[in-house]
Amino acid sequence: MLRNKVMTVLAVSALGLGFEGLIQAPQPAAAKQSVYQKIPKRYRGTWKLKHSTGRVKKGSQLKIKARVFKSDFGTYKDKQLGVHIGKKVGKKYVSVFQIANGKQVGEYNVLRRTHYKNQVALKWTFNTSTAYYVKAK
């Protein structure tokens, strides 16, 4: 009787160790992104305001380069510009924010490519307001 219990315990232990060796611990999906990234090429260029739910002046422009984000609210560039590229439910977006000493100090400006009245557009969300910009010609 004791021998059967010992054999069972040894068999379960061996099976457990072998099974554990086959299954590895989960690995993180991706390493933490650097905040000093470039803004993707799809978002770069000069964009002109078409519609806004906030207090943005009509005809204002948004200028985006690889490491420069210039709007009527201010300019972030080089070491002041933080960029996070993300994906939620199959939709890609870019968050732009102000940084100091490698840490975020400003609010997120979320940019997402979309369409506005059959034109390629950029949806800019800041706090509770949304603005739609189209490519300036």
Side-chain angles (χ1 to χ4, degrees):
M1 183 74 137
L2 183 61
R3 185 174 181 210
N4 287 342
K5 287 184 179 179
V6 170
M7 292 301 284
T8 304
V9 169
L10 288 174
V12 170
S13 299
L15 186 61
L17 291 175
F19 186 69
E20 194 174 299
L22 292 174
I23 298 177
Q24 295 184 5
Q27 299 295 323
K32 188 175 179 180
Q33 293 183 9
S34 169
V35 293
Y36 298 106
Q37 299 183 71
K38 291 182 181 179
I39 297 175
K41 288 183 181 180
R42 310 180 50 159
Y43 295 85
R44 297 180 198 170
T46 303
W47 301 83
K48 187 175 177 183
L49 179 69
K50 282 296 181 182
H51 175 75
S52 176
T53 60
R55 297 180 182 200
V56 183
K57 293 183 224 171
K58 285 281 188 186
S60 66
Q61 290 189 345
L62 185 63
K63 294 182 181 181
I64 302 173
K65 295 182 182 177
R67 292 287 307 148
V68 178
F69 180 81
K70 185 176 181 182
S71 69
D72 287 348
F73 300 109
T75 301
Y76 308 142
K77 61 182 178 178
D78 302 326
K79 299 261 180 184
Q80 296 175 336
L81 175 66
V83 177
H84 178 265
I85 301 169
K87 186 175 183 181
K88 280 188 180 176
V89 193
K91 294 185 178 180
K92 294 180 181 178
Y93 65 92
V94 173
S95 296
V96 179
F97 50 91
Q98 184 180 7
I99 56 174
N101 298 324
K103 296 183 181 178
Q104 179 179 351
V105 294
E107 295 286 328
Y108 273 109
N109 296 286
V110 180
L111 305 171
R112 180 173 282 146
R113 290 284 301 244
T114 186
H115 286 85
Y116 181 78
K117 295 188 178 181
N118 296 326
Q119 294 180 356
V120 174
L122 189 66
K123 181 181 177 183
W124 179 20
T125 308
F126 180 76
N127 286 344
T128 58
S129 62
T130 302
Y132 288 91
Y133 289 84
V134 296
K135 277 277 198 183
K137 296 179 182 178

